Every structure is written in structure tokens, then in C-alpha cells.
Amino acid sequence: MTAMPQTPTVLHAPVIDWFDEHARDLPWRRPEAGPWGVMVSEFMLQQTPVSRVLPVYEQWLARWPRPADLAAEPPGEAVRAWGRLGYPRRALRLHGAAAAITERHGGEVPRDHAKLLALPGVGEYTAAAVASFAYGQRHAVLDTNVRRVFARAVSGAQYPPNATTAAERKLARTLLPEEEPVAARWAAATMELGALVCTARTPSCARCPIAGRCAWKAAGSPAHDGPPRRGQTYAGTDRQVRGKLLAVLREAVGPVPQSALDAVWEEPVQRARALDGLVADGLVEPLADGTYRLPLT
DNA sequence: TACCCGTGGTG
DNA sequence: TCACCAAGGGT
């Protein structure tokens, strides 16, 4: 059961005041980033830490300052520029989003949440984040940081559920400040609080602006009880093989022979399955002569 | 819903 | 050392 705060607004001022003082100076938060910069950052930050995104973000925006600039290049160039950020399908989707923005929205990142949501690679979180951070709109922005902050401060649990629940969305809407600019500030502030203070492993409650109102802390910071949180195995999986295969193609200038791909993984069945998967995903293009390259279309 | 999808830092 | 973790989305 989720406990409703008696007066939701009491959290707003301390969290936003804390954000005013402690917010990181990130490039996508600067005014010159614009909606496109915000969108690029949101794609890159999906499951990838800020520190690793920073250099790639700068290169990306310098090379493709507008959606149309990216849309004008082959998707394989986006995959190559993605580097080692991980989950390279995001690069493909960002390229697809840029193409859709160019074709359907006159080259401007749409302001409307529903239109954002219709873009490839843009889900509930990213649509709300772009609408809120880039356009100052009032949306519940529920990422892993915000979910953890609310789980602790309001629900009294160490961790949120594995999958986002309807109760969490309702709570987020309940806590959202009424005024649009305040709501946008709140969204960024709660995310930052989760990223810097209310961290997953060892939260710094001594530095938390709402520690005095935290339900989890008040309960004695009880350990997580429910089902174990989903772990991520990696070694020996298809994902690892796909990563090795794509790394070869990223670093190659032109098409690579089958033999170069065969060299990265011993086991032929899994290797073939991984390569087929990359082709099916549009990350790799097989050529008639038996070589492979990053996609030109 | 549960699972798939990369990569690297860290306690 | 190694399991956990990092501004999710698609199916």
C-alpha cells in the first residue's frame, strides 16, 4: 500500500531549494542545448551514466546540431558515433526520431507529449522529460531516480517495485506541483536528488533536504523485503556477442569479411544467432558478396 | 508481464 | 572478486 502524504506540497520547497543550490551544470541543462540537445541527452542517458554520456553528447551535438543534420546521414553513422555507450539500438532509434522530426514536424522537436511519444525510442519517460525539461511543461517524470525517491520518502520502502506500477504514476501525479514552471523544476529536482543523494546503494541521508519527512528513514531504514530485484547477467550472453560483433563493424572503415566477425566468438551457433539478430534489428547490413557493414539505409 | 537489449564503473 | 547499478524502450 502506498501512503499518501498528508500535505503533498511540503516537499516542494525543500527539494527545489536544494536543487537551486546543488544542481550539476550539465550541458543539456544549459539554454543553448535547446529541445534537440535535451532529446539527444535523454536517449543517451537511457541506462547509461552521465559521466560516459558527456563526451559523446558534445561530439554528437557538434556534428549534428539539428535533427535534419542527423537525418541526412546514414543510420550507420549514428551507430558509429554512438561509440561504446551501449544498447546501440538507441542510436538507430534516435536517427529514426530525427528523420520523423524532419519529415513530420518541420525539423522542430515537437512540444506535444503525444507527438513525442509517437517518435521511435521515445517512451513514457522520455516524452515527459523532453516536454518538461525542454518546454517547461507540467508532466510527471518517472525515472528510476524519482521512483526511488518517492518509494523512500513517501512509501517507506527502500526500493520501488521492479516494474512501474499504476500506484506510482498516481502518486507522481498527486505530488506534481500545480504551476507549470514549478512542476518542471520539481521534475528535474527530484531526479537530481535521486542521482546525487538518495542513491540506490548508500544514500546520503545526512545531506538530504527531506530526511526529516522521509517515511523510510522514519521507519528505521528497513531493508528491502519483497522479491529479489532483477539482476543482469551478461558474460556469455547473446548481448555480449552482439557487442563484440558490432564493435568490429564500428571500428572498420568499410565492409568487413565474415572471417573478421567469426574471430570474435568461438561458438558458431551463438555467433550466427547474434549476427542474425543484429541484421534483424537493422544494426548490421549484409552485402551480396558476403561482407557486412553498418547500415546505409 | 517478463524478458531482451551493451558497457563500464564500483563497493 | 563480482553482483549491482546506471535519466528506458520495445515486444
Side-chain angles (χ1 to χ4, degrees), chain A residues 43-44 46 60 70 75-83 85-98 283:
Chain A
F43 270 77
M44 292 182 174
Q46 291 169 3
W60 193 283
L70 175 58
E77 283 306 295
V79 174
R80 196 188 307 278
W82 198 253
L85 288 181
Y87 291 143
R89 292 191 294 189
R90 292 182 293 163
L92 228 42
R93 291 171 183 152
L94 181 52
H95 182 274
L283 283 163

Side-chain angles (χ1 to χ4, degrees), chain A residues 5-6 22 32 60 64 103-104 113 130 154-155 163 183 192 197 210 225 228 237 241 255-256 262 297:
Chain A
Q6 294 172 338
H22 298 285
E32 59 266 31
W60 193 283
W64 299 306
E103 294 166 12
R104 305 203 298 258
H113 183 276
V130 172
V154 181
S155 306
E192 191 78 335
V197 173
I210 55 172
D225 56 0
T237 62
V241 184
V256 305
D262 290 347
T297 57

